[in-house]
Amino acid sequence: MNQAVLSPSLDTRRTGQELPIQGAASAAGRDWLALWLAAGLLWWLVGMPLLPSSKHYHQGLMALFWLPGVIALVRHASLRRAWRQPLAILLLLFTGWSALSWFWSPADIAGDETKIFPYVLLAANAVIALGCLAPALFWRTLALACLLNGLCAWVALGYFYGWQEHGWRDRVVGTGLLNHPILGAQVFTALAVLLAGLRRHLPAALRTWAWCLAGCGYLGFLVMCQSKGPWLAAAITVLLTPLWWRDTRAGVGVALFSALGLFAFWMWPDFMLQRGLSFRPELSDQAWLEFLRHPLQGIGFASGYVLKVGPDMIAFEHAHNVYLHIAIRLGAVGLALWLAMQLMAFWRTWRAHAEVEARALCALLCFAGLAMLTDGVGPWVKPREEWFCTWLPLFLVLAWLSIRRQARRADEAREVGGNHA
């Protein structure tokens, strides 16, 4: 692998500039730590459709991703500085408020429930660490993970409709841990959005046919999941794309997508409208009433509640809406902190929409924010499907902001050095 991909510090040796971390040993240590983290990022993003056991998935995350992230935090001051940015502080405040809600939670919280707080912070730290240590390797690994998952989408379609011989009216589920049609569609579509935006970070040989093949796999899975929530989130994201991608190609893409959507609705209306709205409006009404019982502080992050809807009073254990679920459990304060993180992340990426990475993150934040309106059990769960819409966008924005901040510091240092010379 090209050394420039591993660490930006190696390029400075060729230009005669001073290394950010002195000495060849330090640079070598930076490289192996970055490779370790890259392996962990692949495990996180690609392991979900490949592994049958959540236990092995979590153990791999700890060993391959979170552990090298902690080592990087101890060894590198740039990573510690990254935690001082406003979005990271909001994440810490949201985590602190969620943990504080334990004091007014009526439920007895088991030890496993409280582990989720360090899990989230360790995962965020690992993503930021890879971005700080090796930005090029970070984007390359992310793009490759999205490409590989597109191939996994093809495997899921073939296994479900071919090997298992399900009918075309059945809703496809993914392989491995992606065994839910809606959540599987959310995972694959979120990664499809990133793949579309990060095409330039793939190796040149993979930017055409392999990229198209992976994209078609994602599209096939999205259609055959037969879930209107991911459909609607993807459709609105495509329609809003010109807001951050001001290019003729974006307009043509939106026009083609709209034409295809209208054609599909005209040809297969029964397929598009089957199963109705799955009690989502009724659940939202009941969730709002539940929120009004404890509007300020909520019922506590691990407290259970039941929403009953329909003539048969069908019971649901969560609101199927991440925002309402957060409001019920963490109150208006928790919801305000969550929304502040989402809005800050989107605002920062939208302001920098001239950058390819910022456009990709804008699209991901848009899709994830819309997808969370129709399903998901909230952010405070162990690493699973929901993380791809709740935490992945925020972690990637944190890493992107850290990379930009680090680049600005390097530019300022070079300017100072040039003035002294």
Side-chain angles (χ1 to χ4, degrees):
M1 185 179 291
N2 192 323
Q3 283 185 320
V5 173
L6 293 180
S7 176
S9 64
L10 299 180
D11 288 341
T12 61
R13 276 180 255 173
R14 301 188 182 100
T15 61
Q17 295 172 358
E18 185 181 2
L19 286 168
I21 299 176
Q22 296 296 328
S26 296
R30 191 183 184 101
D31 290 343
W32 70 256
L33 198 54
L35 287 172
W36 190 358
L37 285 161
L41 182 61
L42 282 174
W43 182 276
W44 177 25
L45 300 182
V46 186
M48 185 71 71
L50 296 180
L51 296 172
S53 167
S54 59
K55 178 181 179 181
H56 295 149
Y57 181 63
H58 295 156
Q59 289 174 341
L61 281 176
M62 294 176 189
L64 294 174
F65 204 34
W66 300 350
L67 177 59
V70 172
I71 295 174
L73 182 66
V74 173
R75 293 183 57 180
H76 299 294
S78 62
L79 180 53
R80 294 192 293 273
R81 285 194 297 268
W83 277 101
R84 300 171 192 166
Q85 59 183 300
L87 186 58
I89 293 171
L90 276 176
L91 173 60
L92 293 173
L93 288 174
F94 180 68
T95 304
W97 175 260
S98 301
L100 188 65
S101 70
W102 175 81
F103 289 102
W104 56 80
S105 173
D108 292 331
I109 300 176
D112 288 343
E113 295 285 350
T114 57
K115 289 179 183 177
I116 185 59
F117 300 126
Y119 285 178
V120 168
L121 296 179
L122 286 169
N125 180 73
V127 176
I128 299 171
L130 180 55
C132 287
L133 294 182
L137 179 62
F138 170 71
W139 295 116
R140 173 67 61 86
T141 304
L142 185 59
L144 286 173
C146 295
L147 185 77
L148 291 172
N149 270 296
L151 303 180
C152 289
W154 276 116
V155 172
L157 289 166
Y159 182 73
F160 187 81
Y161 292 110
W163 182 262
Q164 294 187 332
E165 298 182 346
H166 285 275
W168 294 109
R169 287 277 181 176
D170 295 337
R171 306 170 71 186
V172 68
V173 297
T175 54
L177 299 173
L178 296 180
N179 54 9
H180 189 283
I182 299 177
L183 297 179
Q186 288 184 357
V187 169
F188 279 144
T189 310
L191 295 172
V193 168
L194 279 175
L195 179 66
L198 298 179
R199 180 182 180 185
R200 63 175 288 184
H201 288 285
L202 289 170
L206 301 177
R207 293 176 190 171
T208 51
W209 292 110
W211 182 81
C212 291
L213 181 66
C216 289
Y218 283 133
L219 180 60
F221 193 97
L222 176 62
V223 171
M224 297 312 297
C225 79
Q226 304 175 40
S227 301
K228 285 177 284 297
W231 285 356
L232 188 62
I236 295 175
T237 300
V238 171
L239 294 175
L240 294 178
T241 297
L243 292 178
W244 52 81
W245 188 16
R246 296 169 185 175
D247 187 275
T248 304
R249 290 171 295 175
V252 172
V254 169
L256 288 174
F257 179 85
S258 302
L260 287 173
L262 291 173
F263 177 76
F265 188 79
W266 177 60
M267 290 293 295
W268 302 285
D270 293 340
F271 179 80
M272 302 291 286
L273 298 176
Q274 61 183 333
R275 284 183 295 275
L277 298 178
S278 304
F279 298 109
R280 293 302 191 271
E282 295 87 347
L283 280 171
S284 295
D285 292 341
Q286 292 298 315
W288 178 253
L289 294 175
E290 184 71 24
F291 161 69
L292 291 178
R293 295 175 184 170
H294 306 277
L296 182 61
Q297 59 190 33
I299 62 176
F301 86 95
S303 300
Y305 61 91
V306 176
L307 305 176
K308 295 183 179 180
V309 298
D312 298 326
M313 299 300 289
I314 302 175
F316 292 85
E317 295 183 351
H318 61 90
H320 287 269
N321 180 313
V322 171
Y323 304 100
L324 287 173
H325 184 74
I326 291 173
I328 291 171
R329 285 194 164 180
L330 302 176
V333 175
L335 180 61
L337 289 170
W338 178 258
L339 291 175
M341 284 194 294
Q342 299 290 326
L343 292 173
M344 178 180 289
F346 186 82
W347 174 247
R348 294 297 299 272
T349 52
W350 182 82
R351 288 184 61 190
H353 62 262
E355 299 179 22
V356 170
E357 298 83 7
R359 290 198 296 268
L361 294 176
C362 267
L364 177 62
L365 286 163
C366 181
F367 170 78
L370 293 167
M372 288 188 289
L373 288 169
T374 58
D375 216 333
V377 296
W380 296 123
V381 292
K382 289 182 179 181
R384 46 180 283 179
E385 301 98 324
E386 284 89 349
W387 274 43
F388 285 73
C389 282
T390 53
W391 293 122
L392 177 63
L394 292 173
F395 294 169
L396 294 181
V397 173
L398 280 167
W400 170 74
L401 290 171
S402 302
I403 291 169
R404 297 181 84 225
R405 182 179 180 181
Q406 190 169 266
R408 284 196 301 270
R409 289 175 63 90
D411 290 341
E412 291 170 359
R414 281 194 292 268
E415 289 178 6
V416 172
N419 291 335
H420 286 306

